[in-house]
């Protein structure tokens, strides 16, 4: 049973990310519980299906997601996943970043999503010099 819950959660996450890339969303209730709380990595918070659906509709009009690639999904338990990902989009200009989402599930749907952002371009400022 635990294996089935993990697989179902992972499949829903993959379907949700893919919907952004394909610009084809199912209604928000396919992905989220009625009392969803969704925190984007740069500050906005949406509570409830109505707000999440409005946000998704608004973003479809102004943003083109060029890639939202899952690097890995880490199951914490049967109801929590940590997802590491890469995001690339275009609005007024193109931008990209790496991110992590902590996703809590209830009854097979996402109940809480908290996103965190990191710069995609990295460097090693303390890498030892070699001759």
């Amino acid at each position: 049973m635990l294996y089935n819950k993990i697989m179902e959660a992972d499949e829903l996450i993959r379907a949700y990310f893919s919907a952004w890339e394909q610009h084809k969303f199912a209604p928000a209730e396919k992905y989220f519980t009625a009392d969803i709380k969704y925190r984007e990595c740069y500050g906005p918070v949406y509570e409830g299906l109505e707000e999440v659906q409005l946000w998704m509709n608004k973003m479809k009009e102004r943003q083109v997601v060029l890639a939202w690639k899952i690097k890995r999904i880490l199951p914490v338990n049967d109801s929590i996943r940590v997802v590491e990902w890469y995001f690339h989009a275009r609005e007024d200009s193109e931008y990209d970043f790496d991110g992590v989402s902590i996703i809590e599930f209830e009854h097979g749907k996402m109940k809480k999503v908290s996103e965190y952002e990191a710069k995609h371009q990295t460097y090693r400022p303390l890498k030892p010099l070699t001759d």
Side-chain angles (χ1 to χ4, degrees), residues 6-124:
I6 289 172
M7 292 304 296
E8 290 170 10
D10 291 1
E11 288 171 15
L12 185 65
I13 292 167
R14 290 183 194 288
Y16 178 68
F17 278 51
S18 179
W20 282 95
E21 286 183 308
Q22 296 176 15
H23 224 63
K24 295 180 181 175
F25 294 99
E29 59 264 12
K30 175 182 177 178
Y31 310 107
F32 305 108
T33 61
D35 59 344
I36 176 66
K37 184 170 184 179
Y38 198 115
R39 180 181 189 262
E40 287 194 87
C41 58
Y42 59 95
V45 175
Y46 310 101
E47 294 188 12
L49 281 174
E50 183 179 355
E51 283 185 24
V52 168
Q53 188 68 63
L54 288 170
W55 163 63
M56 290 167 57
N57 292 344
K58 182 177 179 180
M59 293 308 289
K60 281 194 309 189
E61 294 173 9
R62 71 175 224 213
Q63 179 189 64
V64 175
V65 175
L66 303 169
W68 198 6
K69 300 297 182 196
I70 294 172
K71 294 179 183 180
R72 61 186 173 157
I73 300 174
L74 304 169
V76 175
N77 57 39
D78 65 338
S79 63
I80 300 175
R81 299 288 176 283
V82 174
V83 184
E84 185 181 4
W85 43 264
Y86 166 75
F87 186 81
H88 181 197
R90 180 178 58 243
E91 291 182 50
D92 295 331
S93 60
E94 283 190 33
Y95 57 94
D96 67 342
F97 55 91
D98 293 318
V100 170
S101 295
I102 300 170
I103 304 174
E104 297 178 33
F105 286 82
E106 184 176 85
H107 306 299
K109 296 183 180 182
M110 292 181 263
K111 179 182 177 67
K112 184 176 181 185
V113 178
S114 298
E115 296 178 344
Y116 300 90
E117 174 183 351
K119 293 191 180 301
H120 182 64
Q121 299 299 323
T122 61
Y123 61 96
R124 294 182 59 203

